[in-house]
Structure formats: C-alpha cells, structure tokens
Amino acid sequence: MSEPVTLASTDAVRQPVTSNEPFQVRPIGGHVSAEVRGVTLAADLDDAIIAEINAALLRHKVLFFRDQSHLDDAAQEAFAERFGETVAHPTVPSKESTSRLLELDSKHGTRANSWHTDVTFVDAYPKISILRGVVIPPVGGDTVWANTATAYSTLPQPLRELADGLWALHSNSYDYAATRNTPSVDDESERAYRKQFTSTLYETEHPVVRVHPETGERTLVLGRANGLKTHLLVASNVRTGVYFAVPAGLRDQRREGPQGQARRYFSGHQSSTRRG
C-alpha cells in the first residue's frame, strides 16, 4: 500500500491555464526548495512527468508551482492521488464536498506560527503535504520550511549518535495559547478549533531519526510545534516513561539557518508540495 498524502486548501474563483514552457526544476534555497516550471498540475499527467516531480521532491524536499489557477478542490485531490493514497486529518473534518481536503483559514484558528511536521501524532504520518494558496493576505502569510536531513547531517557527531538512539512521544495535546506572546483577536474561533483538534487524543512513539524509505537519508522528526507536544524518551528503555528536555543542539538544528530553510510568500493560485 502506498504511503498517505495530506492536502490543504482554501476556496476561490479559478480560471483554466495552460503551460507552454518546457518542464524545468529551478533550485531556490541552498539546501531546500525548488520551483517547477512548464507543468500544469492535473491527475492525467504522464507517468514520466509524475516521476520527474517525485524525483525533484526527493532531492529538494519542497517544490513550488506557480500559476495553477485551474485547480479546484476536486482537481487538487485527484492530482494528489497520483502520489499515493490520500488521507483525511484524524480529528478535524474535511472541507465540505471533499473527501480528504483540510481547509486552512486563519480566521478559524488554523494558522500556525511554529515548526512542525504534519500529523506526527499518528503512527503512519503522511509522506507528502500539498498546500494550495488561493486567498492570501496582502501582507504576511508567508510559509517557511526547513530541511531536516541537512539538520541531521550537520549535527556534531556526538549529537548524531545521541539522536540515533532516541525515541519521542508525539501527541496532539498542545496548547497554542500558552506559547503566544500576544492575545489573538480570534480567541473564540481558536478555542473552538483546538477543541476539535483534540477531540480524540493521540500519543505515538517515533524514532527521533527517521530513515527515508526511498532515499535512505536520515532526518530529524521533532515535534513541539503546531498542535504537537513531544517528549524525548530514554533511549535504553523507551517504555520507562522517563523524560528529559530536548538537547539544545537538536532543538536549534531544526532552524539551522537560511541555507537550510525555504521561505515563500504565496500569491494567489500557487501550490507547494512538501515531502515529509
């Protein structure tokens, strides 16, 4: 069975587009992200193009596709199915009239302002997330990604060896408000979203270092982020329930500088694909 894919989007008017450019991948960041040109995303793309996109995703970790205004909810879901079985969010209902699509609307408490890997509180978290930017604020609203393979490989050897033996307990029980410096104007919406987000509580153990099944790369899987609470477990006996703080080197390495990050200010009808 193929690995799951998650989707996220908001709604807007769409117009069909076509692409006359040749397919090309243009790297953007030093260690992460590329822009893909010359492709109109659709479910009926040739297998060869899907393979090219997948290869670029494995190499660059985050891909950006401009001018995809033809995509609606159904087309986004159909395109995603070319990469594997799609899955719905475990606790938040899918957007109306869709089967798997999670609507991200900051007015309803779904904005995120901290590092995270999507849905790591379940045992088989998604390998890819596809984000479609449609309704974008005139100021702000940008998104940042980090290369956790580079984060791992650039750790000092003693920290790599420590991380290799660690497991972490991930949960969706996490209080956004406790980490905010300023009150939100949408506290009521945010509380309602948090209630839904934690309607079923999950706790799942994952290795801190994950070996990617296709590339063999080692990556850091650390939570304490968007709706996540993560405790590290003692390496020698995972089930002892003894916890300790994330070593500073591991914590800081997730944001290991501009070379390992990609920041994108979304314009309307732009899509991104992120490899988990």
Side-chain angles (χ1 to χ4, degrees), residues 109 111-114 174-191 194 224:
R111 62 185 177 276
N113 194 30
S114 52
Y174 179 73
D175 186 0
Y176 282 96
T179 60
R180 275 210 313 266
N181 296 323
T182 57
S184 169
V185 295
D186 299 313
D187 277 339
E188 185 174 345
S189 295
E190 209 161 304
R191 281 193 296 269
R194 293 302 305 154
R224 176 82 190 190

Side-chain angles (χ1 to χ4, degrees), residues 156-171:
Q157 183 175 345
L159 275 181
R160 287 202 306 272
E161 293 175 354
L162 171 65
D164 285 338
L166 292 176
W167 285 64
L169 182 68
H170 295 241
S171 173

Side-chain angles (χ1 to χ4, degrees), residues 18-26 35-41 45 48-49 52-53 64-66 68:
T18 58
S19 176
N20 297 318
E21 291 185 83
F23 182 90
Q24 56 181 310
V25 179
R26 184 176 67 86
E35 182 177 314
V36 179
R37 299 178 177 178
V39 61
T40 300
L41 301 182
L45 285 173
I49 294 296
E52 290 274 10
I53 293 172
F64 301 108
F65 302 82
R66 291 184 181 274
Q68 303 296 322

Side-chain angles (χ1 to χ4, degrees), residues 108-131:
H108 298 159
T110 58
R111 62 185 177 276
N113 194 30
S114 52
W115 293 108
H116 64 280
T117 299
D118 291 340
V119 202
T120 58
F121 52 83
V122 299
D123 57 346
Y125 53 91
K127 68 174 182 178
I128 297 172
S129 293
I130 298 177
L131 179 65

Side-chain angles (χ1 to χ4, degrees), residues 5 7 21 36 57 64 67 94 98 141 145 166 177 182 258 263 273:
V5 179
L7 311 156
E21 291 185 83
V36 179
L57 188 56
F64 301 108
D67 301 323
S94 298
T98 72
W145 292 265
L166 292 176
T182 57
R263 177 181 293 271
T273 303

Side-chain angles (χ1 to χ4, degrees), residues 32 62 111-120 142-148 151 170 174 176 179 220-230 250-264 274:
V32 62
V62 181
R111 62 185 177 276
N113 194 30
S114 52
W115 293 108
H116 64 280
T117 299
D118 291 340
V119 202
T120 58
D142 53 341
T143 304
V144 182
W145 292 265
N147 185 335
T148 58
H170 295 241
Y174 179 73
Y176 282 96
T179 60
L220 294 176
V221 182
L222 295 172
R224 176 82 190 190
N226 180 23
L228 301 179
K229 175 177 69 180
T230 304
L250 290 180
R251 185 172 62 246
D252 296 340
Q253 202 69 2
R254 277 191 306 175
R255 46 185 187 271
E256 42 93 35
Q259 288 296 308
Q261 296 178 6
R263 177 181 293 271
R264 175 61 56 163
R274 180 187 66 79

